[in-house]
Amino acid sequence: MRHSRESHSGDVPEFLSTGNQMAVLRDLLGTLKGLVEMATYIQTVDIGHFATADEREALTREALTREVRRGLTARPRSLSPWMFYDAERSRLFERITTLPEYYPTRTERAILAGHADAIIAAAHCDRSLPLRLVELGAGTASKTRILLEAALRVSDDVAYVPVDVCPDALELACQNIASALPEVRLQPIVRNYVTHPLQLESFDGSTLALYIGTSIGNFSPQEAELILRNLCSQLQTGDALLLGTDMVKDRRTLLAAYDDNDGITAAFNLNILHRLNRELGANFDAACFRHRALWNSIESRIEMHLESTQEQHVSIEHVDLDVHLTRRETIHTENSYKFTDQRIRTQLEEVGLAIRGAWKDSRGWYTLTLGCLR
Ligand code: AVJ
């Protein structure tokens, strides 16, 4: 198999320049140790370069195995959420986005619908130049369409580069955009932008990078900085980034969004265990765990955990791992950071972006911020 399992003490500049060196699994433990207690071990696994579904599957399983061994032997135990997106998890997330309690998606969509023209005008100053929109974690691109329509109102040369780890989602995104907006030039990239920094073709025009959907909230401030730094390394002076962030608000609203009445978020969380049973030969009994959502005000994040309701032993056959869980012991499965204006400013300025505009809903629950590369 074309990868090594060597673990380097990751240093940031090296990570930034890994570029196309596939075949390297590298974590950033050295960089992040001590900074985050739920270390997201950033592994470089370039799924996009592995042509066949079989190879992709083998690599995914390898990465999963590694993550499970790391996370379930650590204390407190944890599993990184972005490692677990598969068709079922994506489907459950799509359902979450329609729940009455889960306001971020519809709030962001409303802001886009109200301000797409202003956002495009602020990002695309020289209208004579072609415009390229590059979206990290594009998913099915349902909200992006609003921005692309606005882009087409000011330019007849618009390209869209959706980047996603999931080829099926990307396919759907391209079909949706191609049928609704055939004028847009599509250049999809299958890539896990977390584990493998994006490399864009040079472009004679202006680029607007999109990192929306509050996806950045899954990452600690340090990890988010790395992701943004990698992205900005692909931009030129004057190019822009549109960042979508969910804001700090009252605790009850936040908690309800991550612990809905229909139990969809619980199912989304417990899905990790089913996946481990299915793919790694584990024998988790999901009925012996419960979904917990907490608001950590010090870290400014919602945390999701799976709490063991009883003392139990679980074995994960393909990882050759036995886990003993005490009653009430938890596995930390997700963080969703919530932002303040100050936090957004810091996050953008530290990677060289100057704020050019910010758009919010009337309640101030969500913000779209446009930063320009200095
Ligand atoms: C996909 C990271 C934006 O944090 O709100 C939703 C994921 N997890 N409910 C979020 C999620 C549980 C979501 N993001």
Side-chain angles (χ1 to χ4, degrees):
M1 205 179 292
R2 292 188 281 173
H3 64 261
S4 84
R5 309 194 57 211
E6 225 173 307
S7 173
H8 301 253
S9 62
D11 80 83
V12 178
E14 257 193 75
F15 172 69
L16 293 172
S17 64
T18 33
N20 261 330
Q21 291 168 22
M22 56 189 196
V24 178
L25 288 172
R26 173 176 299 184
D27 64 47
L28 280 183
L29 178 59
T31 310
L32 298 171
K33 191 155 51 184
L35 296 175
V36 275
E37 81 264 21
M38 186 194 183
T40 303
Y41 278 43
I42 297 184
Q43 310 175 40
T44 57
V45 185
D46 191 356
I47 290 173
H49 282 82
F50 291 81
T52 73
D54 280 357
E55 282 174 308
R56 206 180 274 141
E57 200 175 294
L59 261 185
T60 305
R61 177 190 279 237
E62 180 64 33
L64 267 188
T65 302
R66 206 176 139 88
E67 170 59 11
V68 166
R69 184 170 290 128
R70 179 206 67 77
L72 293 188
T73 57
R75 301 302 167 84
R77 302 183 205 268
S78 65
L79 293 168
S80 298
W82 51 270
M83 292 284 302
F84 292 90
Y85 273 90
D86 60 0
E88 173 67 359
R89 190 165 169 88
S90 303
R91 197 185 63 79
L92 286 165
F93 180 66
E94 286 301 313
R95 277 184 75 186
I96 287 174
T97 63
T98 66
L99 293 168
E101 296 95 333
Y102 193 78
Y103 58 85
T105 308
R106 77 176 65 89
T107 307
E108 183 179 67
R109 183 177 289 113
I111 301 170
L112 284 172
H115 303 285
D117 289 318
I119 292 168
I120 292 294
H124 187 48
C125 304
D126 186 346
R127 293 192 174 196
S128 62
L129 291 176
L131 177 59
R132 169 172 76 169
L133 274 71
V134 177
E135 182 171 15
L136 290 191
T140 57
S142 71
K143 285 171 291 181
T144 316
R145 186 175 150 181
I146 303 168
L147 281 171
L148 287 168
E149 282 164 354
L152 286 170
R153 283 194 282 274
V154 298
S155 170
D156 49 19
D157 191 350
V158 177
Y160 177 45
V161 183
V163 182
D164 206 281
V165 67
C166 178
D168 299 339
L170 214 47
E171 178 69 37
L172 203 61
C174 289
Q175 279 171 17
N176 290 343
I177 299 301
S179 63
L181 308 168
E183 314 91 303
V184 172
R185 279 186 293 123
L186 289 166
Q187 296 159 351
I189 299 177
V190 179
R191 200 167 176 102
N192 185 334
Y193 66 84
V194 182
T195 56
H196 215 93
L198 190 63
Q199 287 195 312
L200 291 174
E201 280 170 31
S202 66
F203 182 68
D204 201 12
S206 45
T207 298
L208 168 58
L210 307 174
Y211 196 24
I212 59 178
T214 199
S215 305
I216 197 172
N218 267 172
F219 302 96
S220 70
Q222 293 78 14
E223 293 165 331
E225 183 186 341
L226 271 178
I227 290 169
L228 294 181
R229 225 177 253 297
N230 287 331
L231 180 58
C232 287
S233 75
Q234 300 298 302
L235 301 179
Q236 291 174 2
T237 302
D239 284 345
L241 165 73
L242 185 68
L243 184 70
T245 46
D246 192 22
M247 307 302 278
V248 172
K249 59 186 63 62
D250 71 280
R251 194 172 159 275
R252 271 186 55 194
T253 303
L254 286 170
L255 284 173
Y258 293 86
D259 195 4
D260 62 280
N261 279 328
D262 295 345
I264 308 298
T265 309
F268 174 85
N269 197 4
L270 288 159
N271 179 251
I272 292 178
L273 302 182
H274 294 299
R275 175 128 186 236
L276 297 185
N277 288 350
R278 210 168 48 235
E279 290 181 32
L280 297 181
N283 64 350
F284 282 101
D285 179 356
C288 299
F289 289 86
R290 76 186 188 102
H291 165 69
R292 297 288 309 270
L294 317 170
W295 169 241
N296 181 335
S297 62
I298 294 168
E299 300 290 340
S300 192
R301 69 191 187 201
I302 286 283
E303 296 179 3
M304 292 189 2
H305 299 261
L306 289 168
E307 184 185 277
S308 175
T309 57
Q310 59 184 65
E311 183 177 352
Q312 53 181 315
H313 288 271
V314 179
S315 70
I316 303 146
E317 208 185 313
H318 304 171
V319 184
D320 199 17
L321 187 70
D322 285 311
V323 182
H324 173 228
L325 293 157
T326 57
R327 188 166 124 86
R328 301 246 169 81
E329 191 172 347
T330 55
I331 304 171
H332 188 172
T333 48
E334 187 159 359
N335 288 322
S336 189
Y337 282 82
K338 303 304 167 190
F339 290 76
T340 58
D341 290 341
Q342 185 50 52
R343 178 77 233 141
I344 296 167
R345 180 171 295 279
T346 306
Q347 194 88 67
L348 292 178
E349 285 180 350
E350 73 190 355
V351 298
L353 293 162
I355 293 182
R356 163 89 50 96
W359 296 268
K360 292 174 192 280
D361 55 302
S362 57
R363 294 184 290 202
W365 279 10
Y366 197 94
T367 308
L368 281 167
T369 309
L370 189 77
C372 269
L373 197 66
R374 283 192 280 242

